[in-house]
Every structure is written in C-alpha cells, then in structure tokens.
C-alpha cells in the first residue's frame, strides 16, 4: 500500500487535545450522542467534514491581506469572477456566502409548485430547497450507487432509463432541470463519467431540460475520470474540470470543499436572463452582487484557492490517494465500507458493521458515537437520521445506505493521523457486539441531523 507524500510542508501548527475515554464518554453524552453537537476542542482528529476545514496555503493567507473591502465593486470580486470563468467556463457568476445559499436562489427561480427535479441521489440541503420551492426530488442515479459493495467505477452516473420514465410519467415541462452532482456525496463520494454526462446532455436537449451541476467536488471527480475513463489518462485535471462544466447549463458550488477555503459559494450560468434574476435575488438574501455574503478578503482567498486546486495534478493526486490509503487500511482488516473509495471520505457500512441494530435505532449514529468514544475521532452520521422523514407519510425514510462518513479535510492531517484513526476503528470492529441502538429525545423538523439529541435504548 502506498501513501502519496504531501506536496507541501508545514509552516504553521495548531495544537490538538488528546483526551481520555472517560472524558469522551461524558462529552458525547452531553452532546446528546450527536457529533455535530460536540465542541471542536474535545475532538482529537476531526473527520466530521471536508467543508470549510481546509488548510489554506501561504499564498491564500497572503491574498487575505489584499482584500478590498469596498461595499460595491471590490477588485477581489472581479478577480474571482474571472477565475470562475477561466476555470469552470461559465459566462456569468453570482457570489453567495456558501453552497446552500446558491441552491436557495436557484431553486426559487427555476422551480414551480409541482415541479419534479431529478438528481443523482439527494443531498440534504439541495433537496430541502427544492421542496421549499414547491418541487419534488426524484432519484435517478444508477442502482449500483445504492449498493455499498458494488465496485462500479462511476457510481455517480445517472440512469437514462429512469430519466425517460420520469419524462413519460410527468411530462418534460414539469422538469425544469436535473441536479447533477460530481463525486456524489451521499453515495460515498462516487464520481460521474464524461460518457454519462454526454449521454445525459443529448437526452436533456431532446426535451429542453437544463443540467445544473452541483460543482462542489468537481476537481476530485476530474481526477477519477483521468484515472478511470478511457481516453482521459493524458488530459490534465484542469482540462477535465472545464470539459465537465461545458456539458452543463450552470452550477451551484459550495466553495468550502474543492476550492480550498473556509467559507464561500457561488452560482454560475450561461443564460443571461437567469443571471439577471439571480442577481436580483442575491441582493435580497445575501448582499450586493459583488460580494454575496463574502468579505473582499474571502473572495481573494477563494480565487487563489480555485487556481491552486487545478494548478497541477500533484495536489489532487495526493488528496484523493490519501483518502484511498485510509480505505485500504480498513479493507485489509475486513471492516465493511463503501467501495470504490470516494474522493473526500471513507464511508463505513453501518448495516454490515452492526447487523443486529434495526435501522429505526440508527446504527450509523450508534457507530459514530462509539468511534468518538473509542478514538477521539469525529465522524458524521449519513443514514436514517440524515435522510429524515418522508413529507407525505411522516415515516423515517430508511435509506438503503446507512453510512458513517470519515471525511478528509484538505491538506490538514498526515499519514500517522490516518494510521491512528484506522487502528481505532479496526479495534472497535473487533468489539462491535457491545454497541447499542439509540432513540430521539429531540427531533428538529428540518435537517434534523444537525441539532437532534438522542439517548441509548
Ligand atoms: C458536507 C457539507 C455541503 C454541500 C455538499 C453538496 C454536494 C451542497 C452542499 C451545501 C456540509 C454539510 C451540509 C449539510 C449536511 C451536512 C454537512 N456539504 N452540495 O459536510 O453547501 O454547506 O456550503 O451550504 O456536500 O458534506 P454549504
């Protein structure tokens, strides 16, 4: 097994606290067994998310000093706009404070009461904004994506037959766009292929349906295409990123991931009317259209982050292969997890890890809490708690995938951190009989996973 060396050296360090098991038992109890409610200080290795947790480069920290904090027309806005146009190829750019703000504006503008929005698996905030705008999400990802042990190389792909079925059922005029995500998060960070995207483009052109990209993890997806798709081995990740975007009509993006910053997002598109309407919305919900909720320095760091993410392929190779190294350690110890390994995270399969805990007792949540107590590592539940309740029946959705996400922040942790986390999880797997299920003591109505509290049954 190979660990690709970090293509950087460490210039600033941030101490982290090691705690005892007894301390962690108390901390997780106080957090209602929900890792979102733990204090960051009490976490040794934080694999909750890759969102906003990147280490910025020296060039990004330097860029912060060049923030133009004018209310209107900041020079950092124009630099960022040009960078987004250069790297992603869209004509128009609207800044927002983060990804869900871009989803909010896009959903308000494109969705009508009764619209159906197909997507390659749901994402929590994306689907909620579709529903709040009066739409209904329809899953059109290939079946393989719902099977954690299926080795399909492009498990993010859309099943064109499912698209056809939806068009036949509801009519193309009720489908404003398909929400197409790169490195599909809820499927385990699974990529889409260019072949699938081209086929989808042809299909959508036939019916006048837009393709709106969730561009949050496109750089990682481009690396997988380079490694796995015929004809792409000699293309740069930068070129592949641009090619992906070229088949779509626009995008939403959480810049807190691939773009290597701690805050930020954007909406981009090629249609001028949509751009004009989006700018009108951004001033209502985010801020003027030349900052959209970011400060000038945030925009400066973001423009530099986007350039760094695609400057050469060394960074992205290290990034994705680091995640793969973590997964390989778990594979060697037979710990059940999603394959192929995703770009941003390793996802444990809680159904196979804890086969005796029923999904109504939240096995992924139980495993997330136990990992924290055993190791001080913070992971994220991505199962029945995250899936929420069906708005029509009120029942828990009981998704096929009941997963625990161990997410890799970018440029933050080293090989020994990963070795430590893997060792602890392997030990826990050997003692898995001792784990119990949970029930709600507090359940928020929307996006319940963020603030819910639990107790052991
Ligand atoms: C995560 C984060 C955010 C995200 C995403 C995709 C594919 C949009 C967004 C929203 C943060 C998160 C969000 C909801 C639940 C748990 C965690 N993903 N599309 O950790 O962007 O957060 O900037 O508003 O992954 O996966 P933003």
């Amino acid at each position: 097994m190979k660990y690709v060396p970090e293509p950087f050296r460490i210039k600033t360090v941030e101490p982290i606290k090691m705690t005892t098991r007894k301390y962690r038992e108390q901390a997780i109890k106080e957090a209602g067994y929900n890792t979102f409610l733990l204090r960051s200080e009490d976490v040794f290795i934080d694999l909750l998310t890759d969102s906003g947790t990147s280490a910025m480069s020296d060039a990004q920290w330097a860029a912060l000093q060049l923030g133009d904090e004018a209310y209107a027309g900041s020079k950092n806005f124009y630099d960022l706009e040009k960078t987004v146009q250069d790297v992603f190829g869209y004509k128009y750019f609207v800044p927002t404070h983060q990804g869900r703000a871009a989803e909010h504006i896009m959903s308000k503008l494109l969705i009508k009461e009764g619209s159906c929005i197909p997507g390659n698996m749901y994402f929590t905030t994306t689907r909620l904004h579709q529903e709040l705008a009066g739409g209904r999400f329809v899953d059109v990802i290939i079946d393989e994506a719902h099977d954690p042990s299926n080795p399909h190389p492009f498990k993010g792909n859309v099943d064109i037959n499912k698209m056809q079925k939806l068009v036949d059922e509801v009519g193309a005029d009720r489908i404003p766009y398909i929400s197409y995500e790169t490195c599909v998060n809820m499927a385990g960070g699974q990529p889409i292929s260019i072949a699938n995207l081209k086929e989808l483009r042809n299909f959508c052109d036939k019916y006048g349906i837009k393709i709106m990209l969730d561009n949050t993890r496109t750089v990682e997806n481009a690396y997988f295409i380079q490694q796995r798709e015929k004809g792409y081995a000699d293309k740069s990740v930068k070129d592949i990123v641009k090619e992906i975007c070229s088949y779509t009509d626009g995008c939403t993006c959480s810049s807190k991931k691939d773009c290597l910053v701690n805050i930020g997002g954007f909406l981009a598109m090629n249609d001028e009317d949509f751009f004009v309407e989006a700018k009108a919305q951004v001033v209502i919900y985010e801020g003027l259209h030349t900052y959209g909720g970011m400060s000038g320095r945030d925009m400066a760091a973001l423009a530099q982050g986007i350039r760094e993410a695609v400057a050469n392929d060394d960074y992205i190779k290290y990034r994705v292969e680091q995640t793969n190294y973590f997964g390989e350690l778990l594979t060697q110890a037979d710990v059940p997890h999603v394959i192929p390994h995703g770009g941003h995270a390793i996802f444990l399969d809680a159904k196979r890890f804890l086969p005796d805990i029923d999904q109504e007792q939240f096995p992924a949540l139980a495993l997330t809490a136990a990992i924290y107590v055993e190791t001080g590592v913070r992971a994220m539940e991505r199962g029945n708690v995250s899936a929420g309740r069906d708005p029509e029946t009120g029942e828990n959705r009981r998704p096929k995938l009941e997963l625990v996400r161990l997410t890799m922040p970018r440029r933050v942790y080293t090989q020994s951190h990963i070795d430590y986390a893997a060792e602890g999880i392997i030990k826990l797997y050997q003692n898995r009989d001792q784990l119990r299920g949970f029930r709600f003591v507090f359940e928020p109505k929307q996006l319940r996973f963020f603030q819910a509290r639990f107790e052991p049954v």
Side-chain angles (χ1 to χ4, degrees), residues 36 49 51 98-100 103 123-125 181 185 214 216-217 254 256-257 380 382 405 449-450:
F36 277 105
T49 177
S51 183
Q98 58 182 77
R100 69 196 72 181
E103 293 168 352
F123 187 71
T124 53
T125 56
E181 184 186 336
N185 196 351
D214 183 330
T216 300
R217 295 184 181 85
S254 169
K256 303 172 71 173
K257 284 82 166 174
M380 187 189 289
R382 296 278 75 174
R405 190 180 74 174
F449 50 90
F450 282 130

Side-chain angles (χ1 to χ4, degrees), residues 144-164:
E144 287 87 340
H146 291 282
D147 174 1
S149 28
N150 190 305
H152 193 292
F154 294 105
K155 272 164 111 173
N157 282 352
V158 158
D159 183 335
I160 303 290
N161 293 324
K162 290 185 187 173
M163 281 296 285
Q164 184 68 59

